Amino acid sequence: MSDIMRPISIEALLNWILEEFKRSGTIFGVRRLYKADPKKTLALFGEQMETPVGPAAGPHTQLAQNIIASYLTGSRFFELKTVQTIDGEDLPVAKPCISARDEGYNVEWSTELRVPDAYQEYVKAWFVLKLLSREFDLGSPNGFIFNMSVGYDLKGIKTPKIQSYIDQMQDAAQTPIWAECMAAAQKMLPSFTRIDADYLAQIDPHISRSITLSTLHGCPPAEIERIALHLLTEKHLNTFIKCNPTLLGFEYARRTMDELGFDYIAFDDHHFVDDLQFADAVPMITRLRAKAAEQRLNFGVKITNTFPVDVAQNELPGEEMYMSGRSLFPLSVAVAKKLSDAFHGELQISYSGGADIFNIKDLFEAGIWPITVATTLLKPGSYQRISQIANVVTSLPYPTHVQLDLLKLDQLVTKAKHQALYQKSIKLPISPKIDEKLPLLDCYTAPCRGTGGCPIDQDVPAYLRYVSEGKYLDALKVIVDRNPLPFITGTICVHPCQTKCTRQFYEGSIDIRGVKLEAAEHAYDELMATMKKPTIKKDAVKTAVVGGGPAGLSAAYLLAREGMPVTIFEKDAQMGGVCSQIVPEFRISMASVQKDIDLTKFMGAEFKNGQAAPSLADLHAQGYTNVIYAIGAWHHRNLKLAQGTAINSLEFLKATRQDKMVHNPYGEHIVVVGGGNTAMDCARVASRLPGVKKASLVYRRNKRNMPADEEELYLALDDGVEFLELLSPVSLENGELTCEIMELGERDTSGRRKPMPTGKFTKVPADTVVSAVGETIDTHYYQQIGIATDARGLVLSDSATLETNLDHVFVIGDGNRGPATIVEAIADATKAAKAICEVHNEHYEQTNLNVDRTVPRSKRGILVTPGSGISQAARCLECSTICESCVDVCPNRANIVVNVNGDPQIMHIDRMCNECGNCATFCPYSSAPYKDKFTLFNSEADFYDSTNQGFYVIDAAAKECLVRVGEIVETINLNETVMDIPNGLLDMMETVIDDYSYCLAD
Ligand SMILES: Cc1cc2nc3c(=O)[nH]c(=O)nc-3n(C[C@H](O)[C@H](O)[C@H](O)COP(=O)(O)OP(=O)(O)OC[C@H]3O[C@@H](n4cnc5c(N)ncnc54)[C@H](O)[C@@H]3O)c2cc1C
Ligand code: SF4
Ligand code: SF4
Ligand code: SF4
């Protein structure tokens, strides 16, 4: 494994393209080739482009194959990766260099290749595009534009290295690489169907007539102007100069970031002070425009550069990184507006800065073009995302000249400040990764089901597919196979599955929970009418379940379904536990809870309500062999106040639920103390009680650091609950709660910032204080039965079965874990039930796989935009059938799909990888594909330079390979029996030699 990329020769590149297409119908993994509309072209620099969109100077324009993949998906304007005089190994880039999970960050800034090598990549790409446009009929061979990007100071630009780069980009005819491209194409002419020698002869060697100047932060205005003048007058290049968000001033940028929730992005004002000032920019641009007009050249600005910010939370190595993506958009459009106003909309803007499918129409309609993208292409779907962007732009009328619509631009600036799209979640992000390591083979997985996702392994892709096809009964059968509470979980499950959903990297996680409810609502009656009642097994032992909440109901359902006799003892008059006694009815109705209760009843479980369960000895005496305790966690922690007392949250919720929120004995000002989900419920109930003037929530941290789920926080905010953050309650006297004001200190191990006392105090009006600072389990209850507990008072049990020290006695649910969740209660119930009898709840494992792989593949790279009419269920990417996120997101195409005996497997190609780290961000496993997938090396030296498991083909004809599997390194012959290497890997190597030999050539 090395971060040095090795470019592929033009001959190998052409061979790769043609062979891959022949084999798999793809080119560098691109499945859907974009055909340009021949009627649409836009003129710029005296050239034509079919779509005014493409990749920004960055990871997607570094290697020839990157540019080719961009073209194939619809790009027609290419801003080539910046070159500057310091290059190659003299410019070490810390790795990983990209972090693009949400807003983007990078620490690389110009090509990692030597400038002559970068030049060759651009020429090869240009040549190949000329061939592919014709061969695959993708558009006019003259329908795209290459735009150079150079940095950073005039001295560097005037070095022979950069001067010759510029000159040879303007005319490559006499360069060796041009001759090499021509020779390779001629040699391969028989492989082409629409290209002949005449066509080759007329390929235009004038690769670029334009340049974007990228100067370092702090570059003095006079230097920027000198360089631009040099480019205009001495190099005769159409010129864009890059402008920075720093033109907005520190105050504006800081305020905007804070208001949008990007308050954690750290930067001070030094770049704002050092960079080009707006007052200097306007006259400078005016002079340069005049000079360009004199030279009959285009001049414009590139808006914007990425934004330098501090590395504050180990996002990337080093101290400074460059921010891009959705957080940059509000700043970049504001710069666009500010400059456009100054030039009455006549200044051409080449735009980049958070452009994506959601704003492309607005940008283009505001008169902004060309538009380049980077961060959106780093996310799953990647290059293929360009097609959708190109389709939007081509559906709009193309302008004939530069004229920005200042009103539309103004609206865009306002929109960017208010749209949810540009707002960061109020909560700390949860890792999308599952807690599992990447296997070498067969890695496709649905992360919604993985460890850290759904605790009961619901067959999510299966039921989403059924719902998307309108097959609700099939979907509900899938759901209840593992989940006895479809209504309760369909309504109030905390849905950990959604935190892992791959679709979050598109336009948002799928509402998996909502789809479950949809299936339940549509098909429940039919399911009840058609289900067969289980018959009780003869001689089966009896089980008593103590507690009829989610855990107890689930255990009873699963056992009863297997024909086991079960009785639930519930002390409340109703089954349902917290769901029927505590959770407010506006969150889940009793009618819904009742449907789930009836499901368990249908299975044959006996219910004994209205009195506490008999003692363990009595249960045994009544013939119950197994006893499952599912008593919840109802003990309340007390809020310590120097004066006055708070009421208990569970009592408050229970009383208001029983009273149907008709009376209000609590006063006009109700203060809830706490920051968890129970606190949100209390505050929301309080806000609804008659006569309440204000329901407030007091918490010692801020919203971002509250434990409540994001959804619950937003619902409380929507209900008008007043959030009083960073307050710690001290005493309650005379209708006022005195609180100490806190401030946030260092982060603790959970990543949350610790609240620190300030010694300052404030008073909050409070007729009643509700304490929602957490519940605990009733340790004493267990101890008096003889169940062993640990030092924290939790029950000691076998983690696989939840059986306690007492034989056949189990503890599950909140009573086992402490306050937890409904779905975890079901998970516990499943474990205990499985310890008692064989539970058949995996009928639909295979249904998660779509037999037609083309269906999930066709969804990749297509974002669902508002108004598209695509249902939640239909958005599922069916990740267990097809993942390939690492293939998508690699800018360099260094992860490929190899079809081994009909099954797709991922192979990493060492020489194409620069260890940018992007595939590690999006692989659902807690692993990095570029380190952990089986790797193809193209030289022995590369093989030994790496610790990756993988192989180097020493002799393809003889099938001789140098292989590393685990710690073992050996030379093997695939024609002979090899004992110590898994067959799957042997098959993979053989397949690569036989069918993917184009990957082996240099
Ligand atoms: C206010 C609040 C809101 C919540 N919101 C959510 C949410 O939105 N989503 C989510 O996933 N989770 C939520 N939870 C957590 C969730 O309710 C629990 O994790 C879940 O109810 C645990 O199920 P359980 O069966 O273990 O316990 P419980 O629901 O507490 O059920 C225990 C049952 O045992 C009965 N019992 C106790 N002792 C005896 C006895 N000796 N004899 C007979 N019966 C007995 C009790 O009456 C009760 O009915 C919330 C919790 C609270 C407090
Ligand atoms: S896209 Fe579908 S299969 Fe993939 S994680 Fe989301 S719900 Fe699961
Ligand atoms: S394989 Fe991964 S680390 Fe390597 S270049 Fe591609 S995305 Fe970056
Ligand atoms: S991202 Fe790649 S390596 Fe990771 S699971 Fe998906 S296909 Fe496998």
Side-chain angles (χ1 to χ4, degrees), residues 249 259 273 279 282 450 534 550 569 900 988:
E259 284 170 3
V273 176
V282 174
F569 295 87
V900 185
M988 185 155 166

Side-chain angles (χ1 to χ4, degrees), residues 512-527:
I512 300 172
R513 181 181 75 184
V515 178
K516 181 175 294 163
L517 186 61
E518 194 184 337
E521 282 175 339
H522 277 83
Y524 179 81
D525 292 343
E526 202 181 345
L527 181 78

Side-chain angles (χ1 to χ4, degrees), residues 115 254 261 273 417 433 511 572 596 693 734 743 842-843 856 954 973 977:
V115 172
R254 185 68 273 172
V273 176
K417 281 191 185 168
K433 287 187 169 277
D511 178 12
D572 195 68
D596 287 350
K693 287 201 174 136
N734 306 324
E743 63 187 11
E842 291 173 17
H843 294 104
I954 301 170
N973 191 310
T977 316

Side-chain angles (χ1 to χ4, degrees), residues 823-842:
V823 69
E824 287 169 302
I826 306 175
D828 277 9
T830 310
K831 276 188 186 175
K834 283 190 169 176
I836 291 171
C837 70
E838 200 179 341
V839 173
H840 298 89
N841 69 342
E842 291 173 17

Side-chain angles (χ1 to χ4, degrees), residues 255-274:
R255 196 175 60 245
T256 308
M257 289 295 95
D258 290 351
E259 284 170 3
L260 292 171
F262 295 101
D263 50 341
Y264 58 89
I265 297 182
F267 54 89
D268 61 23
D269 65 354
H270 78 277
H271 283 309
F272 293 83
V273 176
D274 297 346

